[in-house]
Amino acid sequence: MAKNQDGTIYTGDIVREEFDPTREYTAENQELVFSDEQHGIWADLFAGIHQPYLLEHLCHEYIKGLELLQLDPQRIPTVTHLNERITPRSGWRIERTAVRYTLADDWYKKFAQRIFLITDYLRTRDQMEFTPEPDMFHDIFGHLPFLTQEFYARIEDKFAPAYMKATEEEREVIKHLAWYSTEFGLVMEDNRFKIFGAGIISGRSEFANTVMEFYRLSRDNVIDYSGNVFEQLQENFHAHKKDVDRITEGINELHQKGQMSSHDQGWNVVRALYNKLGISREGYFGGEVILAPFEIETIAQIPKTVYAFNPMFFVCENFEKMDALLDSYLKPIAMRN
């Protein structure tokens, strides 16, 4: 990550910016004039992902939301354009911030007001396939189509009330749950894996790796798509649970050492971990990422990692189940006095 190269760092954490807080949410930050180069980057990012062979792997709700949001493929949208299409439908509103990466405490304070923050930072040409931190394309193209719909607003509404009353340990779990659902989650639709998380949707490398894993599971006879796909995923996960736990423990050790924090090292480090543990990279473990059922206990154990280096994606049977599972952890915390 570009802003975290000095000393030992912790994967998934970003160093606090030196920033004048009086400039963070000013009126001047809301409607910016972007350069032709920035609009060009937006257009190329949009075109690179808005392809039929990729769109078919996105969940139906995203496709519906993208139509409702009416983004211009050639131009970065204004905050006014976004709010006109989001607020009447879900009650949320969009606010631009000059902070590149808003820390969790500040993020959830805004969530409590039903404000979704978008940064004014846009990745550069050398980061078209991979961005070391979420940028405005991620925020807008990845998340905001969903915010035109009430189901997504309900999901996002769950996090802030729980976060504000949680212990520090619980807050880490809450961050993991958000990360592996709305950022890097998958969902079953029509007996197929579909992409839900904005971090996958907005990154070409992450998107392509995920789709390749869907096909690899079939090629390597891990998943038979003529049968019940989610049941097969559950069976594979529980059959390999001991090795999954060993991998999770190893990932946590790498996380604490900051050894997954660069584009060059990320998956090379994870591959080395498999070798160290004596786990053959074949069958269920043969891809660039492990697919696992959406389970609170497992999600709580695996660290929130850097973009494009997630060692595991979690698949929910449907959005109703995701809603219930999130409620099972978040609601009791939110209801505390």
Side-chain angles (χ1 to χ4, degrees):
M1 298 162 60
K3 292 159 65 178
N4 256 5
Q5 295 299 325
D6 297 330
T8 302
I9 59 174
Y10 292 87
T11 310
D13 296 333
I14 292 185
V15 171
R16 183 184 294 273
E17 291 181 88
E18 293 297 327
F19 192 84
D20 179 359
T22 63
R23 292 183 50 239
E24 188 168 349
Y25 306 113
T26 63
E28 291 79 10
N29 291 339
Q30 298 310 299
E31 301 297 4
L32 302 179
V33 177
F34 296 103
S35 67
D36 289 343
E37 171 65 11
Q38 288 173 309
H39 286 299
I41 291 172
W42 169 276
D44 289 347
L45 287 168
F46 195 107
I49 295 174
H50 201 271
Q51 299 290 335
Y53 69 92
L54 294 177
L55 294 178
E56 67 178 283
H57 297 286
L58 294 169
C59 65
H60 300 322
E61 288 77 4
Y62 179 83
I63 301 300
K64 176 183 176 182
L66 192 60
E67 293 173 356
L68 292 172
L69 197 56
Q70 299 178 309
L71 294 175
D72 185 339
Q74 302 297 320
R75 309 281 297 178
I76 299 167
T78 64
V79 173
T80 298
H81 173 98
L82 298 171
N83 279 325
E84 286 175 348
R85 285 151 184 83
I86 289 171
T87 306
R89 292 188 169 99
S90 69
W92 278 66
R93 62 187 176 89
I94 309 308
E95 195 168 280
R96 179 173 278 128
T97 173
V99 175
R100 283 176 60 155
Y101 190 97
T102 302
L103 299 177
D105 287 6
D106 297 328
W107 178 261
Y108 284 116
K109 286 175 185 176
K110 287 291 184 178
F111 260 43
Q113 303 172 58
R114 306 193 91 198
I115 295 172
F116 195 99
L117 296 175
I118 60 173
T119 181
D120 64 0
Y121 156 69
L122 181 67
R123 72 192 75 179
T124 56
R125 283 280 173 195
D126 61 350
Q127 298 172 328
M128 298 294 281
E129 300 292 328
F130 161 82
T131 178
E133 55 189 295
D135 67 343
M136 74 172 74
F137 184 77
H138 162 82
D139 293 341
I140 298 169
F141 188 85
H143 282 287
L144 297 193
F146 288 118
L147 264 185
T148 62
Q149 298 161 84
E150 289 188 6
F151 93 95
Y152 193 77
R154 287 196 304 271
I155 289 175
E156 295 289 31
D157 281 339
K158 298 177 188 301
F159 290 104
Y163 188 87
M164 304 304 282
K165 294 185 178 181
T167 65
E168 286 304 313
E169 183 177 351
E170 289 168 338
R171 286 184 171 188
E172 287 304 307
V173 175
I174 291 169
K175 287 189 280 186
H176 293 189
L177 289 174
W179 190 260
Y180 288 109
S181 59
T182 60
E183 291 291 352
F184 292 98
L186 305 175
V187 67
M188 298 300 305
E189 286 185 348
D190 303 323
N191 199 41
R192 291 291 182 270
F193 299 121
K194 295 290 183 175
I195 295 168
F196 168 57
I200 307 174
I201 293 170
S202 61
R204 275 192 242 173
S205 291
E206 196 78 280
F207 203 141
N209 283 341
T210 306
V211 172
M212 288 170 63
E213 181 63 6
F214 297 165
Y215 289 116
R216 186 202 68 80
L217 289 169
S218 175
R219 183 200 68 194
D220 293 355
N221 298 314
V222 179
I223 297 290
D224 176 4
Y225 284 104
S226 67
N228 188 307
V229 172
F230 190 73
E231 285 184 2
Q232 294 175 70
L233 177 68
Q234 288 179 308
E235 291 166 2
N236 274 284
F237 174 75
H238 291 294
H240 297 90
K241 186 63 165 61
K242 288 184 179 179
D243 280 338
V244 171
D245 289 342
R246 294 170 63 214
I247 292 168
T248 301
E249 183 179 347
I251 292 293
N252 273 292
E253 291 177 2
L254 294 175
H255 168 91
Q256 294 298 321
K257 296 175 182 177
Q259 290 184 350
M260 294 175 63
S261 59
S262 78
H263 189 233
D264 297 329
Q265 291 183 350
W267 266 104
N268 292 329
V269 173
V270 177
R271 289 178 182 136
L273 173 63
Y274 277 58
N275 294 334
K276 177 183 176 182
L277 296 174
I279 296 174
S280 178
R281 299 193 75 246
E282 60 184 13
Y284 183 60
F285 297 118
E288 293 296 299
V289 65
I290 300 169
L291 299 192
F294 193 93
E295 296 182 357
I296 303 292
E297 181 181 356
T298 307
I299 293 172
Q301 293 171 354
I302 195 159
K304 172 177 171 285
T305 57
V306 173
Y307 274 70
F309 299 142
N310 294 284
M312 194 177 299
F313 287 161
F314 294 90
V315 185
C316 211
E317 195 170 2
N318 51 55
F319 285 118
E320 290 75 17
K321 288 286 182 67
M322 181 182 290
D323 200 60
L325 285 167
L326 290 172
D327 264 348
S328 71
Y329 186 83
L330 299 173
K331 195 170 183 179
I333 299 173
M335 292 179 67
R336 288 176 187 161
N337 292 328

